[in-house]
Amino acid sequence: MRIAQSYIHLNNLHFYAYHGVLPQEQVVGGDYCVSLRVAVDVAAAVEHDVVDVTLNYATLYEVVKREMLIPSALLEHVAGRIGQAVMDAFPRVTAVDLTVVKCNPPMGAVCDGAGVELHFVR
């Protein structure tokens, strides 16, 4: 047996952050959700059952959290920083699919959120 592709997922991480174009958003803040799928070879973890041979998702979370704490006007900028930080922190990662959603955007509409999705490759 051979593993063709493998991924680590973090789904719907919730953050309270201060991103937005409007000055009020940067003062009051709002709720955000971040999801990511990280392409990384986990074959050694499948075989050996030890965390040292895989990507630790708690460490991955800390990278995302650190970037979410930095206020930005645009979600595109936030997502770009997160993607770059993940690639920098984990050299074995070959790709990242990342979604950043503002849960209650100030645009006069009732919706589940507005956001961006980016795909990074090494």
Side-chain angles (χ1 to χ4, degrees):
M1 176 183 78
R2 184 176 80 80
I3 299 169
Q5 290 280 353
S6 53
Y7 304 93
I8 300 290
H9 290 260
L10 293 182
N11 297 319
N12 291 322
L13 300 171
H14 291 261
F15 296 96
Y16 197 86
Y18 298 87
H19 309 303
V21 173
L22 302 175
Q24 176 89 2
E25 294 177 283
Q26 295 178 7
V27 173
V28 175
D31 293 313
Y32 296 83
C33 285
V34 177
S35 293
L36 61 160
R37 182 177 85 148
V38 177
V40 63
D41 184 357
V42 299
V46 169
E47 184 176 339
H48 300 291
D49 195 28
V50 292
V51 73
D52 295 344
V53 296
T54 190
L55 191 154
N56 184 317
Y57 51 80
T59 306
L60 179 60
Y61 167 75
E62 289 300 325
V63 170
V64 175
K65 178 182 172 184
R66 182 183 70 228
E67 295 303 322
M68 284 299 292
L69 289 173
I70 302 169
S72 293
L74 300 176
L75 293 183
E76 293 87 343
H77 185 73
V78 177
R81 280 200 332 266
I82 293 170
Q84 186 64 58
V86 169
M87 293 293 216
D88 291 347
F90 306 102
R92 295 182 358 189
V93 166
T94 58
V96 177
D97 292 314
L98 170 69
T99 304
V100 180
V101 175
K102 184 179 291 192
C103 298
N104 189 18
M107 58 185 205
V110 177
C111 68
D112 288 336
V116 298
E117 181 176 342
L118 302 178
H119 176 71
F120 300 87
V121 294
R122 190 174 300 283

